Amino acid sequence: MSSQIVKVLETDFLTHNVKRFVVEKPAGFTFISGQATDVSINKPGLEEELRPFTFTSINTSEHLEFSIKIYHGHNGITEKLANIHAGDELIVHDVFGTITYHGPGLFIAAGAGITPFISILRQLKHDKLLYGNHLLFANRTVNDIILRDELHEMLGGNYSDVIENQGDGSDKRIIDMSMLRQYVGSVGQYYICGPDKFTFSMIGYLENLGVDKSHIIYEK
């Protein structure tokens, strides 16, 4: 497995628990939007603590970007990443991943599962190919939405937030078979990313609605 040390150039928080990292891009480093790499922290004892993170930049960007959800209370790697700032170093490894763009369709994301789609949608915007794509983005609260303004700017009316806890006593909204039914037959591909339980539920709904599994794209 190849690895390269990269300097952190910039960090900021996109939400209360999602932190953006802009890091150096090694010479010759390439990836396809939607793919990921294992990342570790270049500090004693942490170099071999690898975790997979998706690129949110596009391949032609000057730097690499990651948007990482920080989990507090477990003293895990993401909690340590909360204390990484410009001037620190990370280690990036080989590129992998099966979520890549195969044509216009419906993107179905939950929480930090939006990250591969951020890169894909940014690439489509760059290539002027956003037309025909839709996004359903599930989150627990409005405050959990990552890059809401940018996603809305890219997709307009083809972007829908699905918020479980409305905060006003309204019935919770989730992505279910009824919601997906309106898209079946009108889009070509179905892209899914989120927690395992969410992903498998979405796959099951789509298959029950008659979608061929060859048109369902997720991280295998």
Side-chain angles (χ1 to χ4, degrees):
M1 176 183 292
S2 62
S3 63
Q4 300 186 68
I5 297 171
V6 293
K7 183 173 290 187
V8 177
L9 304 174
E10 179 185 344
T11 70
D12 61 334
F13 275 88
L14 301 178
T15 72
H16 61 100
N17 63 354
V18 175
K19 188 173 183 179
R20 182 178 74 105
F21 298 82
V22 178
V23 307
E24 293 174 326
K25 184 178 183 180
F29 193 94
T30 63
F31 63 92
I32 300 171
S33 285
Q35 292 187 311
T37 184
D38 284 321
V39 177
S40 56
I41 299 171
N42 191 32
K43 290 188 176 182
L46 296 176
E47 301 95 332
E48 301 302 320
E49 292 289 332
L50 277 60
R51 298 294 185 276
F53 297 114
T54 308
F55 304 101
T56 47
S57 50
I58 63 176
N59 186 54
T60 54
S61 299
E62 183 178 355
H63 305 117
L64 300 178
E65 179 189 281
F66 302 94
S67 300
I68 298 173
K69 186 171 182 177
I70 306 298
Y71 295 90
H72 292 283
H74 304 285
N75 197 32
I77 293 301
T78 66
E79 192 165 6
K80 291 179 172 63
L81 283 167
N83 297 314
I84 294 296
H85 304 287
D88 291 327
E89 293 177 337
L90 301 179
I91 306 172
V92 296
H93 297 76
D94 295 333
V95 171
F96 61 89
T98 57
I99 298 179
T100 55
Y101 189 64
H102 294 268
L106 175 65
F107 291 84
I108 308 166
I114 192 66
T115 54
F117 300 159
I118 290 170
S119 180
I120 290 172
L121 293 170
R122 285 174 169 174
Q123 185 66 57
L124 293 175
K125 179 183 178 182
H126 177 271
D127 296 337
K128 298 180 171 58
L129 293 173
L130 279 169
Y131 180 79
N133 289 289
H134 304 254
L135 170 63
L136 295 177
F137 189 10
N139 284 280
R140 294 193 183 280
T141 73
V142 170
N143 293 332
D144 295 319
I145 303 173
I146 302 169
L147 296 175
R148 185 182 197 182
D149 290 344
E150 181 180 355
L151 293 169
H152 187 269
E153 184 274 327
M154 287 194 288
L155 292 168
N158 289 336
Y159 166 47
S160 298
D161 284 312
V162 184
I163 307 301
E164 184 175 349
N165 182 3
Q166 304 279 350
D168 58 4
S170 302
D171 291 339
K172 70 178 183 180
R173 296 183 68 222
I174 60 173
I175 301 175
D176 55 17
M177 195 180 307
S178 176
M179 187 177 293
L180 293 173
R181 182 176 283 112
Q182 63 186 299
Y183 296 95
V184 172
S186 62
V187 297
Q189 308 294 331
Y190 300 83
Y191 303 87
I192 304 170
C193 192
D196 288 345
K197 183 178 179 181
F198 174 86
T199 297
F200 294 133
S201 292
M202 296 304 111
I203 293 170
Y205 292 152
L206 291 171
E207 290 184 327
N208 286 337
L209 290 167
V211 176
D212 190 283
K213 199 162 186 177
S214 63
H215 293 285
I216 302 175
I217 297 149
Y218 61 100
E219 191 62 49
K220 297 179 176 64

